[in-house]
Amino acid sequence: QVQLVESGGGLVQAGGSLTLSCAASGTVFSIDVMGWFHQPPGKQRELVAAIDSDGNTEYVESVKDRFTISRDNSKKTVLLQMNSLKLEDTAVYYCAANIKESMRGPLSRHWGQGTQVTVSS
C-alpha cells in the first residue's frame, strides 16, 4: 500500500512564504510525475505545479515566478516552495503522484490527505 503524507501548511500573511512537503511511503517501485493541486473554497481542484522524474517542471500561469516545485527521487519527496503568497492562494493543497507498486504493475495516481494554506491580509 502506498501513502502520501503532506506537511507544511498553515496561516501566513500576504507576501509571505511557505514550503509544502510530501513524502511517499509503502510499496513504491517507481514514481513518475509528482505534483501539487489546490482546491480554493467553492472551486474545483486544479493542478498548480508538476515535476517528472527527470526534473522537468510545469506550472499554472498564476503561480509562475512565485512557486517552485522540486523533488528528491532518493527520498521519494516533493516540495512546493511558495513565495509572495496572495489571498487567492488560500486553498487546500493536495500532493499527487503517479506510482508503480511493482515492476509489472500499473501506474496509478495516489493522493495525499490535503493540507490547508490560508493567506491573510
Side-chain angles (χ1 to χ4, degrees), residues 41-102:
K43 296 185 178 180
Q44 290 189 332
R45 192 178 301 187
E46 66 172 1
L47 178 69
V48 174
I51 183 168
D52 67 15
S53 56
D54 293 326
N56 299 303
T57 59
E58 177 181 316
Y59 298 91
V60 68
E61 191 65 33
S62 60
V63 308
K64 281 182 181 177
D65 301 323
R66 298 191 299 122
F67 291 10
T68 302
I69 189 169
S70 61
R71 65 190 279 174
D72 185 326
N73 291 330
S74 64
K75 295 180 180 178
K76 293 177 281 188
T77 58
V78 61
L79 301 181
L80 185 68
Q81 174 68 45
M82 304 185 293
N83 298 324
S84 303
L85 282 160
K86 302 177 180 181
L87 298 179
E88 54 264 40
D89 294 320
T90 294
V92 179
Y93 283 72
Y94 296 90
C95 170
N98 294 341
I99 294 173
K100 292 185 71 172
E101 296 184 47
S102 63

